[in-house]
Amino acid sequence: MKRSVLLLSTGHACVDVYQGAVPALVPFLVSERHYSYAAASAVVLAATLLSSVVQPVFGLLTDRWRMPWLIPVSMLLAGLGIAAAGTSGDRALVWAVVAVSGLGVAAYHPASARLARAVTRGDHTAMSWFSLGGNVGFAAAPLLVTPLLAAGGLGATPWLAVPAVAGALMTVLVTREPAPARSSSGASGGRRDDWRMFARLSLVVTFRSIAFFGVSTLLAVVAKQRMDGGSEAGAAALFLLFAGGAAGTVLGGRLAGRFGRVRCTRAAYALAVPSVAGVAFLPGPLVFLGVAATAATLYVPFSLQITLGQDYLPGRVGTAGGVTLGLAVSVGGVVSPALGALADATSPSAALIPVIAAPALAWALARTLREPRPIETAAVPPRTEARA
């Protein structure tokens, strides 16, 4: 299993490079192609919004038909779309190929989450490593894209197809392995889908997304102001946010094995409230403590929410993955323009104050969740759990 999890995690990183690559293209589209910021933002929207909305659709498809080939094919689509983005000066064509990349990302996540659940047999730690791959890929995208395009310009984007090809080859090795008996790729054990609990979980994930996007949108500017420094302070804060998130993802998997997913989720969001408040209010270098705590507390539930969604919908595992990894996760980006407008009217620190409400609402909703029986142990009587 370890080999398969490693391959899946690496493949996840290769795909999510293309989610992080689109924002990294913006400065080069502005400087080389003379795009306005509105036109450049439309390119980002083409990838992120379309990907988020379509992911549940692909989840429905993977629930109806077994399509292991979709995973490597979607990886190639994600990479080839970005690879072609710099080869044409036609704005409509650039928008179209970036949208194709977004479709590839959308197709990948529900199918890969389903396969990861089958391979890991619901092991929380193994699933956290799969989720970690995506976090690493997203964070590494600017480190890959910016130096490459700084040296070769937008004409160098074809080189960005390399991670997709490498990831597709690695993932094919996993899709050829037989799925474990009675895994998430099999039957639901006679259990009904619990749409009420899944709807609550989706709202929890949505508020988590709002908190994360709110902090990450304003963090670089806030850190720069608190430290009275240059862009290095903002870059350091963002790196800490991503690095702390990676640690939190793995920690969440380990804690869930001991205390349960729902209990860990509740505790994480309760701790996220003072953590986000720390980013908003802590002075000077102390802001980095708030950033580290925010990263850990917002990422501890990340992989746990994926398996919770799958266990709430045992008959629609692909749909659950599409929503928890796609629509609900990215919806937080919708609030970013509003927070930017508030920061213009007040200050970046003041604009973070309403963000504190997001983890508080996530915690309140998480208190209404129950711990579901894992699909793999459907025959085992459910474990009761006191609310945290």
Side-chain angles (χ1 to χ4, degrees):
M1 183 178 74
K2 290 182 178 180
R3 171 179 171 272
S4 296
V5 171
L6 177 61
L7 291 172
L8 282 172
S9 180
T10 305
H12 196 182
C14 291
V15 167
D16 279 9
V17 160
Y18 300 108
Q19 285 191 303
V22 179
L25 289 174
V26 168
F28 298 95
L29 292 172
V30 171
S31 60
E32 290 189 32
R33 300 283 168 78
H34 308 294
Y35 279 33
S36 65
Y37 287 110
S41 298
V43 174
V44 177
L45 187 65
T48 57
L49 184 60
L50 185 63
S51 174
S52 300
V53 172
V54 174
Q55 281 194 48
V57 176
F58 280 106
L60 289 169
L61 293 175
T62 57
D63 283 331
R64 185 162 186 175
W65 295 288
R66 188 175 181 273
M67 300 183 291
W69 53 265
L70 182 62
I71 301 176
V73 169
S74 62
M75 299 175 82
L76 292 175
L77 279 179
L80 293 177
I82 296 300
T87 60
S88 173
D90 184 271
R91 294 188 181 185
L93 182 58
V94 172
W95 190 94
V97 296
V98 170
V100 168
S101 177
L103 284 174
V105 171
Y108 170 82
H109 282 100
S112 65
R114 186 183 184 92
L115 177 62
R117 181 64 186 259
V119 168
T120 63
R121 302 177 179 89
D123 182 81
H124 302 315
T125 301
M127 281 296 290
S128 72
W129 282 104
F130 167 72
S131 299
L132 175 64
N135 300 335
V136 170
F138 187 87
L143 303 177
L144 172 66
V145 174
T146 302
L148 176 66
L149 300 191
L154 285 169
T157 56
W159 287 103
L160 294 175
V162 172
V165 175
L169 291 174
M170 285 186 288
T171 306
V172 165
L173 298 177
V174 184
T175 58
R176 295 172 109 181
E177 295 181 1
R182 295 195 64 79
S183 70
S184 61
S185 61
S188 61
R191 290 168 47 203
R192 289 187 174 184
D193 295 329
D194 192 338
W195 287 101
R196 184 179 64 174
M197 282 293 153
F198 183 75
R200 294 178 185 178
L201 175 67
S202 298
L203 286 174
V204 170
V205 177
T206 296
F207 284 122
R208 182 259 175 206
S209 179
I210 291 172
F212 178 76
F213 271 91
V215 171
S216 60
T217 297
L218 300 170
L219 181 58
V221 179
V222 168
K224 180 179 177 180
Q225 292 179 346
R226 302 274 175 87
M227 299 296 293
D228 294 322
S231 58
E232 293 82 5
L238 286 173
F239 175 79
L240 183 60
L241 182 68
F242 292 134
T249 300
V250 176
L251 178 63
R254 293 186 178 278
L255 291 175
R258 182 173 181 180
F259 300 106
R261 293 168 293 180
V262 170
R263 185 172 294 172
C264 288
T265 297
R266 294 170 184 161
Y269 286 127
L271 293 172
V273 176
S275 300
V276 175
V279 179
F281 295 113
L282 287 175
L286 290 177
V287 71
F288 288 109
L289 292 177
V291 173
T294 296
T297 53
L298 288 182
Y299 269 99
V300 160
F302 189 78
S303 66
L304 310 184
Q305 293 167 159
I306 299 172
T307 59
L308 278 172
Q310 292 172 332
D311 287 335
Y312 286 141
L313 300 184
R316 299 180 182 272
V317 173
T319 301
V323 172
T324 55
L325 276 173
L327 182 60
V329 170
S330 301
V331 75
V334 175
V335 307
S336 297
L339 290 174
L342 182 58
D344 287 333
T346 55
S347 71
S349 295
L352 279 175
I353 295 175
V355 178
I356 300 171
L361 291 169
W363 170 78
L365 280 166
R367 286 179 56 81
T368 69
L369 298 177
R370 64 169 178 80
E371 184 77 34
R373 286 178 292 165
I375 299 170
E376 295 79 8
T377 57
V380 180
R383 175 170 58 90
T384 58
E385 177 185 357
R387 288 186 176 178

